[in-house]
Structures are given as C-alpha cells and as structure tokens.
Amino acid sequence: MDGFIRALVSVWTDSGFASLTIENIIMILVGLVLLYLAIAKDYEPLLLLPIAFGCIMANFPNTGFETDMGVMMAIGFGIKYEIFPPLIFMGVGAMTDFGPLIANPKMVFLGAAAQVGVFVALAGAMLLGFNVQEAASIGIIGGADGPTAIFLTNKLAPHLLGAIAIAAYSYMALIPMIQPPIMKLMTSDADRKIKMVQARVVSKTEKILFPIIVTIFVILLLPSTAPLIGCLMLGNLFRECGCTDRLSDTVQNALMNIVTIFLSTSVGATMVASNFLKPETLKIIFLGLVAFGISTAGGLIGGNIMCKLSGKKVNPLIGSAGVSAVPMAARVSQMVGQKANPANFLLMHAMGPNVAGVIGSAIAAGFLLAVFG
C-alpha cells in the first residue's frame, strides 16, 4: 500500500498540475480566448488559431515545449534565421495583382502616407520608456503587416515577439471595426459618394517588368529589405510571367499554408508567461492601436489631398487601404464607399494603395533596420 501511495505521489509530483502557476493559468486562458476569437468570431483564423494553440502548449509546465522539444526547436529556426516571413511574402506576392498600382502609380503616395503611424508610434514608445530597437519593433505594427512585424521584431527586439505579433494580427483582424469610424470622421459624405472611373488595362509586359524593376530599385536603395521585397516580387513574377503556373500554385497554396502553420505556432510558443505578463505588454497593445489608427488617418489625409488635386475624381476612402493588410483594407474601403453610394465600386481602385502599403511596410521595416539594427 505504501508503495502504491508513493507511486501516486511521484506521478503527481512529476505532473504539470503540481507545477502549475497562476501565470501559467492566465496565459492558458489568453490562449483559449484567442481560440474563441479565431473559431467563433472568424478573426484571422488561419493565423490566430495556431498562435493560440502554441500559446497554450508553451504554458504547460514541465514540457519544455517552447525550447526543448525537437519539433519546436526546428520550427523556431524558421523565425530565428528569417525563413518564414519572407516565404509568407512570396505567397502574398503570388496571390496579389499589382495591376491597379501599375495602372495608377500615384497610389504609391497613399501607401507611403499610411506608414506615418509607424514613426509616430515609435516616438510614443520611446516616451513610454522603450529603447529605440523596441520602439521601432512596436511602431511597425502600424504597417498592418504581420510577417513584416515578425521579421523586424526578431531582428531588433526578439523578447517582444509574442506581444507584437498578437497586437499586429489582432488589429489586422479588427480592421472592419477600427477603420470605418476613422474613415467617416475624416471624409465628407459628398466625398464618400465619389465614383471613380475604371482604371486603364495593364499589359502583360508591364506586369512582368514591375516586380523586376521594383526589386532592383528598392534593394539597391535599402539592401536590408532584400528578404521581404525579393520574395514578394519573386512570388508575383511566378504569377505574372505565364510560364511558372505550377510554382505559382504551389506558393499560393501548399507552401503558404505550411509556412503559416509553422510561423503562427512558433510565434504562439514565444508567449510564455515570463515574457508576456508584463506592464510592457499592455503598452505594446495600446501603442499598436495608436499606430494602426494614425496610419489609417495618414492614408485618409493623403486620399483627401489627392481628391482635391484631382478635381474630385478620387474617392478619399481608398487612402485607408494604404495600411497593407491585403485585401481586407481594400474591402473595407469598398464597404464604406458602397454604404454612401450603392453604385460605388472602389475595390479595384483601393487595391492600388493596398499593394503599395505592402511594399511601403517592407521599406519602412528596411529603413528602421538600417538605422537602428
């Protein structure tokens, strides 16, 4: 009988229940909330669900899940050595039509204007006590581009990776809730009703040359953008050249899905209580919202300026799509515009600043890395 009791005591002592702390419980609950948002509310489920499950697994005591288990060590190399974010960009490039931006190159200014929140949040983070590398990582949340945020944070402030990734992806998922009030505040009812004329047809040659030219120019200007811009444009070239359909299909589907699982799970695994349950986490979440809101406002200011300069031919709502987040931000521009005028079809026009925002966020990250890395 004594031996049986000792065996039970040994099993209990070695179990996770005996080592479970209040911090572990809180983080497991955070993971469960994220699972609920992903499954029940459909908030970025392809990303949020594996992040949430990785968070839960990382906070079970005595497993070594986040550091020692072979599979997680292998997956973690994908972030540590900058493999996953560029591969995600390759998939984004293969799925994105740059035609609206090529047809109306002026839209690049809206993508640039929407990066203002990155630098405002950077300044705010420094005022709240973060060092410049941490502040730059927090600021990039305003670009509304999860892989870019992960890429830069892993370079400059890896200890903040979990909090920054959650903030970035959460605000991307909440675009339909966050952006419309700002859009209505910063545009007039008459301007929201503006119908834009159909953009010109873009030739196949232009679509092939665009990723090649952008790659050469941007990487020569900012070499640190090479992993993101290079993979983004390579994926787009697979799509547009007409002779690599199998590669384009693989990048858009199989590779994108595999890398998304690995990237998201490994990000979730960084959300251990010791890293996440700090006052700094609340500051990051707040600053991320500020960055995102100001970036949206910056794009809308650019849209209003373009509206006036064009003689009311540009609907300023498309400026809000400059915050990357392809194609959700463009869909929100379409949604708000159609509420103002049911005959409005802004989606393809909004895709111009939207894809410009993808390029802009990568350039902003490259600039911050060159200056503060």
Side-chain angles (χ1 to χ4, degrees):
M1 187 65 178
D2 289 344
F4 178 70
I5 292 174
R6 282 196 299 272
L8 289 178
V9 171
S10 177
V11 169
W12 173 258
T13 303
D14 293 338
S15 74
F17 287 106
S19 304
L20 202 63
T21 66
I22 186 65
E23 290 83 5
N24 294 139
I25 294 171
I26 291 172
M27 290 307 300
I28 290 170
L29 290 175
V30 168
L32 292 173
V33 170
L34 294 176
L35 277 181
Y36 170 78
L37 293 175
I39 298 170
K41 298 297 185 180
D42 202 33
Y43 288 166
E44 293 284 345
L46 299 181
L47 297 163
L48 211 54
L49 192 150
I51 287 176
F53 212 81
C55 171
I56 293 171
M57 292 291 291
N59 286 282
F60 291 141
N62 302 335
T63 64
F65 176 78
E66 76 282 5
T67 55
D68 301 327
M69 289 181 67
V71 65
M72 289 312 299
M73 287 181 66
I75 292 175
F77 289 148
I79 289 183
K80 182 177 180 179
Y81 295 106
E82 306 160 21
I83 298 171
F84 294 154
L87 289 179
I88 291 285
F89 257 57
M90 188 183 296
V92 171
M95 292 188 290
T96 302
D97 180 8
F98 286 120
L101 178 59
I102 300 171
N104 193 355
K106 295 190 295 293
M107 296 301 165
V108 74
F109 296 109
L110 297 183
Q115 306 308 312
V116 64
V118 172
F119 300 96
V120 172
L122 186 156
M126 293 184 67
L127 289 175
L128 289 180
F130 292 96
N131 65 42
V132 70
Q133 287 80 16
E134 293 169 336
S137 301
I138 294 167
I140 202 65
I141 297 172
D145 195 319
T148 302
I150 291 170
F151 176 83
L152 185 65
T153 302
N154 186 60
K155 288 273 196 179
L156 299 182
H159 56 289
L160 299 181
L161 182 61
I164 288 176
I166 286 296
Y169 283 119
S170 296
Y171 293 136
M172 286 169 62
L174 294 172
I175 280 176
M177 297 174 61
I178 296 172
Q179 284 197 323
I182 301 173
M183 295 163 76
K184 292 177 181 177
L185 179 66
M186 298 191 64
T187 58
S188 68
D189 185 61
D191 286 348
R192 289 195 294 272
K193 293 179 179 178
I194 293 173
K195 290 178 64 176
M196 296 180 64
V197 299
Q198 186 174 354
R200 70 175 179 85
V201 176
V202 177
S203 70
K204 182 180 178 67
T205 301
E206 289 176 291
K207 289 189 174 184
I208 292 173
L209 290 175
F210 181 80
I212 299 171
I213 293 170
V214 170
T215 299
I216 294 170
F217 177 77
V218 173
I219 295 178
L220 285 176
L221 179 66
L222 287 169
S224 55
T225 64
L228 297 180
I229 290 293
C231 285
L232 178 71
M233 294 304 161
L234 176 59
N236 188 251
L237 193 58
F238 285 155
R239 170 195 174 96
E240 302 297 354
C241 71
C243 57
T244 54
D245 290 344
R246 287 170 54 190
L247 298 182
S248 179
D249 179 70
T250 298
V251 171
Q252 290 183 50
N253 297 291
L255 182 62
M256 187 72 160
N257 291 335
I258 291 169
V259 175
T260 297
I261 293 170
F262 287 170
L263 175 67
S264 304
T265 306
S266 56
V267 166
T270 68
M271 296 173 61
V272 291
S274 58
N275 291 337
F276 202 83
L277 292 180
K278 297 178 179 179
E280 286 78 8
T281 302
L282 292 178
K283 294 179 184 177
I284 289 169
I285 292 172
F286 168 74
L287 287 165
L289 180 60
V290 170
F292 192 82
I294 293 177
S295 288
T296 299
L300 289 166
I301 291 171
N304 281 311
I305 293 171
M306 196 168 286
C307 175
K308 290 179 173 58
L309 293 177
S310 66
K312 301 287 185 178
K313 293 180 180 178
V314 173
N315 190 312
L317 290 175
I318 66 172
S320 65
V323 295
S324 189
V326 177
M328 190 180 297
R331 288 175 180 163
V332 172
S333 297
Q334 162 72 13
M335 177 187 72
V336 176
Q338 204 153 49
K339 283 184 178 179
N341 180 359
N344 236 347
F345 295 95
L346 298 177
L347 182 60
M348 290 311 297
H349 298 289
M351 282 301 297
N354 207 185
V355 297
V358 177
I359 300 171
S361 66
I363 291 174
F367 173 80
L368 293 174
L369 189 57
V371 174
F372 303 123

mmCIF file of all heavy atoms in Angstrom, residues 183-194 304 307-308 312 315-317 340:
data_model
loop_
_atom_site.group_PDB
_atom_site.id
_atom_site.type_symbol
_atom_site.label_atom_id
_atom_site.label_comp_id
_atom_site.label_asym_id
_atom_site.label_seq_id
_atom_site.Cartn_x
_atom_site.Cartn_y
_atom_site.Cartn_z
ATOM 1 N N MET A 183 -12.655 56.568 -40.956
ATOM 2 C CA MET A 183 -12.945 56.942 -42.342
ATOM 3 C C MET A 183 -14.092 57.950 -42.408
ATOM 4 O O MET A 183 -14.046 58.922 -43.160
ATOM 5 C CB MET A 183 -13.286 55.692 -43.153
ATOM 6 C CG MET A 183 -12.109 54.723 -43.280
ATOM 7 S SD MET A 183 -12.584 53.056 -43.794
ATOM 8 C CE MET A 183 -12.870 53.341 -45.547
ATOM 9 N N LYS A 184 -15.133 57.725 -41.613
ATOM 10 C CA LYS A 184 -16.281 58.633 -41.616
ATOM 11 C C LYS A 184 -15.933 59.970 -40.971
ATOM 12 O O LYS A 184 -16.456 61.018 -41.368
ATOM 13 C CB LYS A 184 -17.460 57.977 -40.903
ATOM 14 C CG LYS A 184 -18.029 56.787 -41.677
ATOM 15 C CD LYS A 184 -19.147 56.097 -40.910
ATOM 16 C CE LYS A 184 -19.676 54.894 -41.683
ATOM 17 N NZ LYS A 184 -20.713 54.162 -40.920
ATOM 18 N N LEU A 185 -15.055 59.930 -39.970
ATOM 19 C CA LEU A 185 -14.649 61.168 -39.294
ATOM 20 C C LEU A 185 -13.822 62.057 -40.211
ATOM 21 O O LEU A 185 -13.936 63.288 -40.169
ATOM 22 C CB LEU A 185 -13.848 60.809 -38.039
ATOM 23 C CG LEU A 185 -13.315 61.977 -37.205
ATOM 24 C CD1 LEU A 185 -14.466 62.758 -36.574
ATOM 25 C CD2 LEU A 185 -12.366 61.471 -36.123
ATOM 26 N N MET A 186 -13.017 61.457 -41.078
ATOM 27 C CA MET A 186 -12.039 62.219 -41.843
ATOM 28 C C MET A 186 -12.434 62.454 -43.302
ATOM 29 O O MET A 186 -11.638 62.975 -44.085
ATOM 30 C CB MET A 186 -10.672 61.511 -41.786
ATOM 31 C CG MET A 186 -10.119 61.407 -40.378
ATOM 32 S SD MET A 186 -8.390 60.874 -40.336
ATOM 33 C CE MET A 186 -7.589 62.236 -41.179
ATOM 34 N N THR A 187 -13.636 62.063 -43.675
ATOM 35 C CA THR A 187 -14.113 62.328 -45.043
ATOM 36 C C THR A 187 -15.533 62.880 -44.985
ATOM 37 O O THR A 187 -16.298 62.567 -44.076
ATOM 38 C CB THR A 187 -14.109 61.049 -45.893
ATOM 39 O OG1 THR A 187 -14.936 60.051 -45.268
ATOM 40 C CG2 THR A 187 -12.705 60.492 -46.059
ATOM 41 N N SER A 188 -15.887 63.690 -45.965
ATOM 42 C CA SER A 188 -17.247 64.237 -46.023
ATOM 43 C C SER A 188 -18.172 63.232 -46.705
ATOM 44 O O SER A 188 -17.723 62.359 -47.465
ATOM 45 C CB SER A 188 -17.261 65.555 -46.801
ATOM 46 O OG SER A 188 -16.989 65.324 -48.167
ATOM 47 N N ASP A 189 -19.464 63.381 -46.438
ATOM 48 C CA ASP A 189 -20.446 62.492 -47.055
ATOM 49 C C ASP A 189 -20.400 62.612 -48.579
ATOM 50 O O ASP A 189 -20.492 61.610 -49.299
ATOM 51 C CB ASP A 189 -21.851 62.835 -46.537
ATOM 52 C CG ASP A 189 -22.904 61.867 -47.054
ATOM 53 O OD1 ASP A 189 -22.791 60.663 -46.764
ATOM 54 O OD2 ASP A 189 -23.830 62.318 -47.764
ATOM 55 N N ALA A 190 -20.229 63.828 -49.065
ATOM 56 C CA ALA A 190 -20.182 64.039 -50.517
ATOM 57 C C ALA A 190 -18.971 63.348 -51.132
ATOM 58 O O ALA A 190 -19.069 62.729 -52.205
ATOM 59 C CB ALA A 190 -20.151 65.531 -50.830
ATOM 60 N N ASP A 191 -17.817 63.431 -50.459
ATOM 61 C CA ASP A 191 -16.616 62.802 -50.991
ATOM 62 C C ASP A 191 -16.721 61.279 -50.969
ATOM 63 O O ASP A 191 -16.189 60.594 -51.858
ATOM 64 C CB ASP A 191 -15.389 63.249 -50.203
ATOM 65 C CG ASP A 191 -14.990 64.680 -50.520
ATOM 66 O OD1 ASP A 191 -15.515 65.241 -51.497
ATOM 67 O OD2 ASP A 191 -14.154 65.245 -49.782
ATOM 68 N N ARG A 192 -17.392 60.731 -49.945
ATOM 69 C CA ARG A 192 -17.532 59.280 -49.880
ATOM 70 C C ARG A 192 -18.403 58.740 -51.026
ATOM 71 O O ARG A 192 -18.340 57.553 -51.346
ATOM 72 C CB ARG A 192 -18.131 58.852 -48.531
ATOM 73 C CG ARG A 192 -17.189 59.032 -47.361
ATOM 74 C CD ARG A 192 -17.659 58.277 -46.132
ATOM 75 N NE ARG A 192 -18.902 58.795 -45.586
ATOM 76 C CZ ARG A 192 -18.981 59.787 -44.688
ATOM 77 N NH1 ARG A 192 -17.864 60.384 -44.273
ATOM 78 N NH2 ARG A 192 -20.142 60.188 -44.222
ATOM 79 N N LYS A 193 -19.200 59.601 -51.618
ATOM 80 C CA LYS A 193 -20.074 59.179 -52.719
ATOM 81 C C LYS A 193 -19.401 59.236 -54.094
ATOM 82 O O LYS A 193 -19.982 58.806 -55.083
ATOM 83 C CB LYS A 193 -21.325 60.064 -52.749
ATOM 84 C CG LYS A 193 -22.237 59.874 -51.536
ATOM 85 C CD LYS A 193 -23.436 60.808 -51.615
ATOM 86 C CE LYS A 193 -24.357 60.608 -50.414
ATOM 87 N NZ LYS A 193 -25.518 61.528 -50.440
ATOM 88 N N ILE A 194 -18.174 59.756 -54.144
ATOM 89 C CA ILE A 194 -17.499 59.930 -55.436
ATOM 90 C C ILE A 194 -17.289 58.579 -56.119
ATOM 91 O O ILE A 194 -16.774 57.629 -55.525
ATOM 92 C CB ILE A 194 -16.136 60.631 -55.248
ATOM 93 C CG1 ILE A 194 -16.342 62.072 -54.782
ATOM 94 C CG2 ILE A 194 -15.323 60.611 -56.555
ATOM 95 C CD1 ILE A 194 -15.049 62.789 -54.418
ATOM 96 N N ASN A 304 -7.584 62.549 -49.144
ATOM 97 C CA ASN A 304 -8.258 63.856 -49.247
ATOM 98 C C ASN A 304 -7.468 64.832 -50.116
ATOM 99 O O ASN A 304 -8.046 65.577 -50.910
ATOM 100 C CB ASN A 304 -8.463 64.444 -47.850
ATOM 101 C CG ASN A 304 -9.642 63.842 -47.119
ATOM 102 O OD1 ASN A 304 -10.741 63.743 -47.677
ATOM 103 N ND2 ASN A 304 -9.444 63.411 -45.887
ATOM 104 N N CYS A 307 -7.866 63.741 -53.629
ATOM 105 C CA CYS A 307 -9.232 64.049 -54.063
ATOM 106 C C CYS A 307 -9.323 65.499 -54.549
ATOM 107 O O CYS A 307 -9.860 65.779 -55.627
ATOM 108 C CB CYS A 307 -10.205 63.793 -52.915
ATOM 109 S SG CYS A 307 -11.925 64.265 -53.252
ATOM 110 N N LYS A 308 -8.775 66.407 -53.765
ATOM 111 C CA LYS A 308 -8.820 67.829 -54.136
ATOM 112 C C LYS A 308 -7.971 68.121 -55.371
ATOM 113 O O LYS A 308 -8.388 68.857 -56.270
ATOM 114 C CB LYS A 308 -8.379 68.682 -52.945
ATOM 115 C CG LYS A 308 -9.381 68.690 -51.794
ATOM 116 C CD LYS A 308 -8.885 69.531 -50.643
ATOM 117 C CE LYS A 308 -9.962 69.689 -49.564
ATOM 118 N NZ LYS A 308 -10.419 68.398 -49.030
ATOM 119 N N LYS A 312 -11.911 66.189 -57.525
ATOM 120 C CA LYS A 312 -12.963 65.290 -57.028
ATOM 121 C C LYS A 312 -13.126 64.040 -57.899
ATOM 122 O O LYS A 312 -14.223 63.487 -58.005
ATOM 123 C CB LYS A 312 -14.310 66.025 -56.941
ATOM 124 C CG LYS A 312 -14.311 67.245 -56.039
ATOM 125 C CD LYS A 312 -14.265 66.869 -54.566
ATOM 126 C CE LYS A 312 -14.377 68.078 -53.661
ATOM 127 N NZ LYS A 312 -14.388 67.732 -52.232
ATOM 128 N N ASN A 315 -11.877 59.121 -54.855
ATOM 129 C CA ASN A 315 -12.602 58.967 -53.601
ATOM 130 C C ASN A 315 -11.585 58.815 -52.473
ATOM 131 O O ASN A 315 -10.773 57.884 -52.494
ATOM 132 C CB ASN A 315 -13.512 57.732 -53.673
ATOM 133 C CG ASN A 315 -14.475 57.653 -52.509
ATOM 134 O OD1 ASN A 315 -14.082 57.811 -51.360
ATOM 135 N ND2 ASN A 315 -15.735 57.379 -52.789
ATOM 136 N N PRO A 316 -11.597 59.707 -51.473
ATOM 137 C CA PRO A 316 -10.556 59.665 -50.432
ATOM 138 C C PRO A 316 -10.582 58.401 -49.580
ATOM 139 O O PRO A 316 -9.601 58.097 -48.894
ATOM 140 C CB PRO A 316 -10.863 60.908 -49.585
ATOM 141 C CG PRO A 316 -12.302 61.195 -49.828
ATOM 142 C CD PRO A 316 -12.562 60.799 -51.255
ATOM 143 N N LEU A 317 -11.690 57.649 -49.633
ATOM 144 C CA LEU A 317 -11.782 56.429 -48.831
ATOM 145 C C LEU A 317 -10.700 55.421 -49.183
ATOM 146 O O LEU A 317 -10.300 54.614 -48.337
ATOM 147 C CB LEU A 317 -13.159 55.772 -49.003
ATOM 148 C CG LEU A 317 -14.356 56.496 -48.386
ATOM 149 C CD1 LEU A 317 -15.644 55.775 -48.751
ATOM 150 C CD2 LEU A 317 -14.212 56.595 -46.866
ATOM 151 N N ALA A 340 -22.238 54.656 -48.676
ATOM 152 C CA ALA A 340 -22.508 56.060 -49.019
ATOM 153 C C ALA A 340 -23.188 56.179 -50.375
ATOM 154 O O ALA A 340 -24.035 57.050 -50.581
ATOM 155 C CB ALA A 340 -21.201 56.853 -49.014
#
